[in-house]
Amino acid sequence: MAGMTSASHNSLRRLLSFLGLGKRAGESDLLEPAELARWYASLAPEERAAVSRELAPRVRPRPTRDPATLPAVATGRLVFEQDGPQGPIPLHHLKVELWDRDPGAPDDFLGEGFTDADGYFSIRYDPADAGAGDLPDLELCFFEPQHTFRKDGRVVESWRRIGSERGPDDHGGLHYDFGTLRLPYWEYDPTTPLARLLINEEGTPPTAYAPGRALAMLKAVNPIELIKRQHLLQIRLGRVPSLEKLQADYPESMTVRMERQAPGSSRGDAFFGERLLNGMFATILDRDPEVPGDPCSFRLYYPWNAYEQDGVHCLPDVDVRLRLEEGRVLPVRIILGLREPGATAPGSPITRRSFTPADGADWEAAKRIARVSVTLDSELGNHLAQCHFNVEQYAIAAHRNLRINPLRWLLLPHLREVVLINQSANGFLVGPSGYVTRASALTEKGIEARLLHLMGSYDWRGFVPAMPVCEGHRYAHAAQLFWKLLGEHVDAFFSEHGDEVVAQWGEVRRFSDDLVAHSAPAFVCRYLRARVVGNDAPWFVRSERMTLDEKAAQPPPRAVSAVTETDSPQPGEVESLKQLCRYVIYFATFRHAWANNLQWDDAGEVQYACLGLRWGKNGSLPAVDDPDTAPPPDEATEMLWISWMLSKTSYGLLLANEEEDVHPRLVERLRAHASEFSALGLDIRTVSSRINI
């Protein structure tokens, strides 16, 4: 028992004491059976092995028997609850155990097996194992695989029970067919065009948060929960706090601190450009198509007029032109496509107005509108769609299909819990009463359309993080480094386990089939069809975008490309699978961390950046100094609460590897480059291994 902690040693001694083994003089039995089971389950694998070694000489072993010689057999088939286009979908490679159910007494294990590729199982057993004079009361138990990694990278497998099915009582025959059993296991939600998990209103998801996450959430939220509650109570009582008082009650954000130390510093042109490069807004900067051949001119465009709006908030099309000057990216022109106040329909008539730094107060107002626009796009695009919902579609397909393929050791640590946090977002952020719906110009219908278009533009094939546009583009430099290290990690994994990945390629095909079938239709807007599809368009950054020429076909193909369409890999498909793995881990870790963890910095001040601005008096543009155009106090305090909660809640960190499910090689590889990431503004210790906030 070398290497065991004193607490573990005491736990083991108590277990052995209950069993009458290793008991000290004068000690009594300490554990009830249920407590014994809990203690044993809490032991580490090496501690369980120590218990087994201690018990082995004292327990009469059951003679080893050839299952083929056992007289009885139980058969059946497991399928998903929802059918596919060709009928029932088999639940392949699940572990199935057969037990004699004995109410009030320990159950008797009869036998085990696995479902085959078509979901069928056959378990041979001996009815006599139910006990003398007892006919077996049959029951099936179903298990999915779990894993952890040892420090040396070796895998430790375990099984998690996911369900059961009662069979007949006092079964005296030698054959029983359970028939076709439908399990509601990682089902797709048929009511949405996105690949989302079906969770019934009163149902329990097929997964759960790690226990430590709840404490992390309480630790992050408790300091500000009372602040928000106090504000909402004051509002209900008619004692509405000013935005200044409301802001001051919360911890000081980055932009508030900047304004206290140097007024105007967070509102300047240089800071505007810096946050587009390195803030939560960090996104792709295309070259300016109107300045062909100029490597220093850039453009950002947000087509909000394409979506239904509430008519209350001002959310114009935003076209930002920027220029690289002396190592800094500066805004030089902002073009707004303004609807009339009250207009709600997609494609409403707009009036275009152009602003430059020479326009003084109007320029500052235009920058504020642009800042709100990129904040909303970051929340819906960089954060919710590209990370949360994008990763969810890979999580569902992986959990449905990867069981005996070692690919799950590589992917599943980064796909756990995302469906749970996304379920919370369904009502908390989006939906009819979600915060984004209430606080922004987009209606519920407008948000749904925007998310569908975004999801229709994401694909793993060909993805590479865009190159930096300047030395100060810290986000892009960090993305390049992280992508490189992920590539080394994935290559090393396939060098170690690639043969078995190929041997179980049938699971890869089913994984790929589910991904493609349930992804959104590919979306290529009219502008890109006219200006990029079929054209050279050197101004357009293609590295992070799907292959437009392929996805612009009619009828639209699915956004996610297939890895394979066969049960054995064709030339190039193993490399495609490696690319997909690298892509998924990148968005579940680095990209989500960058977008999420900076929310308090970039969305921690109501007057600096929010999700929606209201029209000014008489339908005028929202002025910088007009408090009536800012979010009302109830939305403002909720915004600050959300920004803090999202940025400050952290559990499941890559370098901490709390569940020991991430290969230690990736942990050490990232830790070895911690100083390089730090120089680029990223504390690698704050990057989570999965999306759970």
Side-chain angles (χ1 to χ4, degrees), residues 40-257:
Y40 184 77
S42 71
L43 294 179
E46 62 272 14
E47 296 167 343
R48 294 187 188 184
V51 172
S52 298
R53 287 193 297 270
E54 185 72 23
L55 291 178
R58 308 163 191 251
V59 177
R60 184 174 62 192
R62 176 183 294 179
T64 301
R65 294 174 290 181
D66 181 358
T69 67
L70 301 179
V73 62
T75 60
R77 189 187 189 203
L78 301 186
V79 299
F80 286 95
E81 185 174 73
Q82 295 181 15
D83 288 346
Q86 282 75 48
I89 304 172
L91 258 167
H92 59 273
H93 303 155
L94 270 185
K95 183 180 180 183
V96 184
E97 292 184 354
L98 183 66
W99 288 76
D100 167 38
R101 184 179 61 256
D102 284 319
D107 294 342
D108 293 308
F109 174 75
L110 299 178
E112 66 179 9
F114 288 83
T115 59
D116 64 15
D118 295 315
Y120 291 99
F121 64 88
S122 177
I123 303 173
R124 301 206 68 88
Y125 70 99
D126 187 347
D129 289 340
D134 183 19
L135 293 175
D137 306 322
L138 299 182
E139 183 166 59
L140 290 175
C141 297
F142 315 121
F143 298 82
E144 66 179 6
Q146 308 280 289
H147 80 273
T148 57
F149 282 104
R150 296 183 184 273
K151 294 189 186 313
D152 61 4
R154 287 186 296 165
V155 176
V156 178
E157 291 274 27
S158 59
W159 295 95
R160 172 177 174 263
R161 179 169 167 168
I162 60 172
S164 61
E165 180 73 20
R166 291 172 67 98
D169 292 339
D170 297 326
H171 180 66
L174 296 181
H175 178 263
Y176 183 76
D177 184 3
F178 280 85
T180 298
L181 304 177
R182 292 182 176 270
L183 271 61
Y185 183 73
W186 288 93
E187 305 287 346
Y188 286 99
D189 186 345
T191 67
T192 171
L194 305 182
R196 303 295 309 282
L197 182 69
L198 176 63
I199 301 177
N200 297 329
E201 186 174 347
E202 301 300 329
T204 301
T207 185
Y209 287 118
R213 192 252 187 198
L215 183 60
M217 174 68 79
L218 289 172
K219 184 177 179 181
V221 173
N222 275 358
I224 60 167
E225 178 68 20
L226 292 180
I227 297 174
K228 183 186 74 169
R229 291 188 183 188
Q230 182 182 39
H231 290 159
L232 295 178
L233 178 60
Q234 290 173 336
I235 293 168
R236 284 197 296 271
L237 295 175
R239 300 198 296 268
V240 182
S242 67
L243 285 182
E244 291 76 12
K245 174 64 170 63
L246 184 149
Q247 185 77 52
D249 287 344
Y250 280 91
E252 191 175 58
S253 68
M254 178 182 70
T255 55
V256 171
R257 182 176 65 254

Side-chain angles (χ1 to χ4, degrees), residues 130-392:
D134 183 19
L135 293 175
D137 306 322
L138 299 182
E139 183 166 59
L140 290 175
C141 297
F142 315 121
F143 298 82
E144 66 179 6
Q146 308 280 289
H147 80 273
T148 57
F149 282 104
R150 296 183 184 273
K151 294 189 186 313
D152 61 4
R154 287 186 296 165
V155 176
V156 178
E157 291 274 27
S158 59
W159 295 95
R160 172 177 174 263
R161 179 169 167 168
I162 60 172
S164 61
E165 180 73 20
R166 291 172 67 98
D169 292 339
D170 297 326
H171 180 66
L174 296 181
H175 178 263
Y176 183 76
D177 184 3
F178 280 85
T180 298
L181 304 177
R182 292 182 176 270
L183 271 61
Y185 183 73
W186 288 93
E187 305 287 346
Y188 286 99
D189 186 345
T191 67
T192 171
L194 305 182
R196 303 295 309 282
L197 182 69
L198 176 63
I199 301 177
N200 297 329
E201 186 174 347
E202 301 300 329
T204 301
T207 185
Y209 287 118
R213 192 252 187 198
L215 183 60
M217 174 68 79
L218 289 172
K219 184 177 179 181
V221 173
N222 275 358
I224 60 167
E225 178 68 20
L226 292 180
I227 297 174
K228 183 186 74 169
R229 291 188 183 188
Q230 182 182 39
H231 290 159
L232 295 178
L233 178 60
Q234 290 173 336
I235 293 168
R236 284 197 296 271
L237 295 175
R239 300 198 296 268
V240 182
S242 67
L243 285 182
E244 291 76 12
K245 174 64 170 63
L246 184 149
Q247 185 77 52
D249 287 344
Y250 280 91
E252 191 175 58
S253 68
M254 178 182 70
T255 55
V256 171
R257 182 176 65 254
M258 290 177 65
E259 290 305 301
R260 175 174 55 80
Q261 295 173 346
S265 58
S266 70
R267 271 60 170 177
D269 292 355
F271 190 71
F272 180 94
E274 201 280 331
R275 299 319 286 170
L276 290 180
L277 292 181
N278 300 313
M280 67 172 277
F281 317 129
T283 187
I284 303 169
L285 289 179
D286 290 312
R287 307 292 176 180
D288 189 340
E290 296 181 5
V291 192
D294 185 353
C296 295
S297 295
F298 302 93
R299 183 197 191 193
L300 284 173
Y301 180 61
Y302 301 101
W304 298 117
N305 194 47
Y307 305 101
E308 183 180 88
Q309 299 186 18
D310 62 7
V312 176
H313 293 86
C314 175
L315 184 63
D317 286 347
V318 175
D319 188 349
V320 182
R321 307 302 171 97
L322 306 112
R323 185 162 184 81
L324 178 62
E325 296 180 0
E326 298 180 350
R328 301 186 302 176
V329 171
L330 303 173
V332 294
R333 184 159 57 111
I334 298 174
I335 306 162
L336 303 180
L338 295 155
R339 297 179 172 190
E340 291 295 319
T344 62
S348 293
I350 60 174
T351 300
R352 297 193 183 279
R353 294 183 59 185
S354 181
F355 303 88
T356 70
D359 291 318
D362 285 345
W363 171 248
E364 298 302 320
K367 278 196 303 183
R368 185 188 186 200
I369 292 171
R371 201 158 50 231
V372 168
S373 178
V374 297
T375 304
L376 178 59
D377 183 73
S378 296
E379 289 293 0
L380 286 179
N382 295 359
H383 187 204
L384 187 60
Q386 195 172 38
C387 293
H388 282 255
F389 291 167
N390 187 23
V391 171
E392 178 173 359

Side-chain angles (χ1 to χ4, degrees), residues 6 26 99 105 128 167 179 215 238 264 271 312 321 328 331 369 374 442-443 445 484 490 587 608 635 643 650 688:
S6 60
W99 288 76
L215 183 60
F271 190 71
V312 176
R321 307 302 171 97
R328 301 186 302 176
I369 292 171
V374 297
L442 296 180
T443 64
K445 185 176 178 181
K484 171 181 173 291
V490 172
F587 279 98
Y608 173 77
E635 291 179 3
S643 296
S650 57
S688 294

